[in-house]
Amino acid sequence: MTKKQKNVLAAWIVVIIAFLGGLALANVQNKVPPVMQAIMAYFDIGYTEAGWLTSIFTIMGMVTAIPASWLLHKLGPKNIGVISLACAAVGSLIGVFSDNLALLMASRVIEGIGVGIIAVVGPAVIAMWFPPEKRGLPMGLWGSWMMASQTILFLIAGGITTAFGWQGVWWFTLGFSVLVLILYMWKVDAPGVGLANFAEAEDKEKYSFAEGFKSPSSWLLSAVGVIFTFCCFGFATYIAVYWGETFFLATTGDIELAQYEGNLWVSLMYAIEIPIVILIGWVLNRTKLHKRKYVGAVGFFLYAVILFFCFRMDAIGLLIPFIIVYPFLEGSIPTVYWTVCPSTAKSPEHAGTALGVLNVGLNIGTLLGPPLTGWMIENYGWQEATIPLAAAAVLGGILMCLVKTYDKRAQ
């Protein structure tokens, strides 16, 4: 094996472990929706409060996203990744023994610290190991972290909950986080001298953290992130419940069993999305950087259409077409913004800051999407709840078109 081949292999090993780190934290983030009915019954709460369980931890995600980019430079990807995964493990452990809603909410805040950190570390590691023109495929893999998590959890959560209660899902996320923490300690780090990409231009004596905030394009992409997570988490938090109530409650006669049926369909949908986002990443590798944003913009405009119908379907025959089409539209957007984000920084050494800024937006959208969608469902009904989701997606497409990139090598 040549030195170049060894470097490529080392890069992909690091990227795969970084992806598993993202998957571990995504599991922590996504574990509420698949067991929502069980959580609501256990704590005697409604849709709005249950929505806050999905989004409350993003407050800490917002708080930690910017410091995470600074800590990345100070501590390196290995140490900061270990901190992130430790937060996931500790939060899950507290959640397992929560006997009141306040304590469970507190555990979600701790988990949110980890999510805020890993969402910066994962793509930053990819940017370290791959030049801009080669980032599409690894960023496509990274972009599937949420879909992979949703696939796994919606598939297994029903069986785990039946056997062990909702706490069983918390035990699962705890064990997975500890396993990946060990892998992080073993292999993940910045590349050796001469291999780093976004970090190679960094002069540590001249590096100014504040300069990284002066790119309007990074903030514009952050606004795109707000809109996307508002839409996708507003949708994902309730779609299994909607499908369960609409299509399966009459046949099962039990609301939790009906959601379990809905979970299986959601799991299948996100399983389809995983190879799609990787494929989109492969396509982006063959698309000039300054044109990649239009892939995301078109995805947003079409996403608006399918979101408008997501809580309006009343015929079970529409499920199969929906779960085939939806992954293409949702999957195009995060693949594009993760790939483009490092290049919205005006200089390569501030790519980490750009990722931090993006993650502030992603956390804001995650914070707002579930409770506001839940509020719309409770007060106006399922159909009306689709209107703000679809309108937001249209705005996201417009903003994506305005994003500017600065990496001249990829023009």
Side-chain angles (χ1 to χ4, degrees):
M1 183 179 292
T2 66
K3 184 177 180 180
K4 181 179 180 181
Q5 289 173 326
K6 289 180 179 179
N7 290 339
V8 171
L9 178 61
W12 276 103
I13 290 174
V14 169
V15 167
I16 290 170
I17 297 175
F19 163 76
L20 292 175
L23 178 60
L25 271 299
N27 285 340
V28 167
Q29 179 170 345
N30 295 320
K31 61 191 174 187
V32 171
V35 296
M36 181 173 289
Q37 293 291 352
I39 291 283
M40 290 169 63
Y42 187 89
F43 291 103
D44 191 25
I45 57 176
Y47 284 118
T48 303
E49 290 170 298
W52 278 109
L53 275 175
T54 297
S55 59
I56 188 65
F57 71 97
T58 60
I59 294 175
M60 288 308 300
M62 285 185 285
V63 171
T64 56
I66 297 299
S69 62
W70 178 79
L71 288 171
L72 181 66
H73 285 277
K74 295 296 182 180
L75 302 179
K78 180 190 294 289
N79 293 328
I80 195 69
V82 167
I83 292 172
S84 172
L85 289 158
C87 289
V90 170
S92 294
L93 184 61
I94 294 173
V96 164
F97 297 104
S98 297
D99 58 1
N100 61 79
L101 186 60
L103 185 58
L104 187 61
M105 288 279 192
S107 75
R108 299 293 280 166
V109 171
I110 296 172
E111 293 166 344
I113 297 174
V115 173
I117 294 173
I118 204 69
V120 173
V121 175
V125 167
I126 294 172
M128 288 177 182
W129 284 88
F130 290 85
E133 63 272 15
K134 298 294 185 182
R135 287 176 192 161
L137 184 56
M139 285 294 188
L141 174 63
W142 170 259
S144 69
W145 63 315
M146 284 293 172
M147 303 89 176
S149 167
Q150 289 161 330
T151 299
I152 294 168
L153 289 177
F154 278 104
L155 180 63
I156 70 173
I160 292 177
T161 302
T162 300
F164 306 105
W166 62 267
Q167 294 92 338
V169 178
W170 266 245
W171 280 115
F172 169 77
T173 61
L174 171 60
F176 194 88
S177 297
V178 171
L179 174 62
V180 180
L181 187 154
I182 295 170
L183 293 176
Y184 244 82
M185 295 176 67
W186 168 57
K187 203 67 177 178
V188 173
D189 212 338
V193 177
L195 295 178
N197 289 298
F198 101 82
E200 67 186 358
E202 179 183 350
D203 182 339
K204 292 187 177 180
E205 293 183 358
K206 295 182 179 180
Y207 174 74
S208 171
F209 182 63
E211 285 294 317
F213 296 100
K214 295 183 179 180
S215 172
S217 191
S218 295
W219 290 101
L220 185 60
L221 191 63
S222 182
V224 170
V226 172
I227 292 170
F228 176 70
T229 51
F230 173 86
C231 293
C232 74
F233 281 97
F235 165 84
T237 301
Y238 301 102
I239 190 61
V241 176
Y242 174 74
W243 285 347
E245 292 182 358
T246 304
F247 301 132
F248 306 116
L249 182 57
T251 55
T252 63
D254 181 272
I255 191 66
E256 291 188 21
L257 288 176
Q259 185 182 354
Y260 176 67
E261 294 287 341
N263 285 353
L264 295 179
W265 284 93
V266 174
S267 176
L268 178 59
M269 179 177 68
Y270 285 118
I272 293 171
E273 191 165 344
I274 295 170
I276 287 172
V277 296
I278 296 174
L279 174 63
I280 293 170
W282 179 84
V283 171
L284 291 180
N285 266 7
R286 287 149 180 80
T287 306
K288 290 186 176 181
L289 185 58
H290 68 286
K291 294 183 178 181
R292 292 172 176 174
K293 62 184 180 181
Y294 298 114
V295 176
V298 171
F300 255 125
F301 293 134
L302 297 176
Y303 192 38
V305 177
I306 203 165
L307 285 175
F308 184 76
F309 290 102
C310 68
F311 296 148
R312 297 169 183 268
M313 295 188 300
D314 56 5
I316 196 168
L318 295 174
L319 266 180
I320 291 178
F322 186 94
I323 68 169
I324 292 174
V325 174
Y326 182 88
F328 284 92
L329 308 184
E330 183 189 75
S332 64
I333 301 166
T335 309
V336 169
Y337 66 59
W338 287 124
T339 304
V340 168
C341 183
S343 295
T344 63
K346 291 186 176 181
S347 56
E349 65 267 27
H350 293 118
T353 304
L355 289 164
V357 170
L358 171 61
N359 277 288
V360 170
L362 295 175
N363 280 286
I364 291 173
T366 307
L367 175 69
L368 297 177
L372 288 181
T373 303
W375 182 82
M376 285 291 296
I377 293 169
E378 287 186 332
N379 290 277
Y380 297 99
W382 287 102
Q383 293 188 7
E384 287 73 14
T386 66
I387 297 173
L389 296 176
V394 171
L395 178 59
I398 295 171
L399 295 182
M400 182 72 89
C401 290
L402 302 176
V403 172
K404 180 180 179 181
T405 55
Y406 295 94
D407 199 310
K408 302 301 181 184
R409 291 174 295 177
Q411 300 297 328

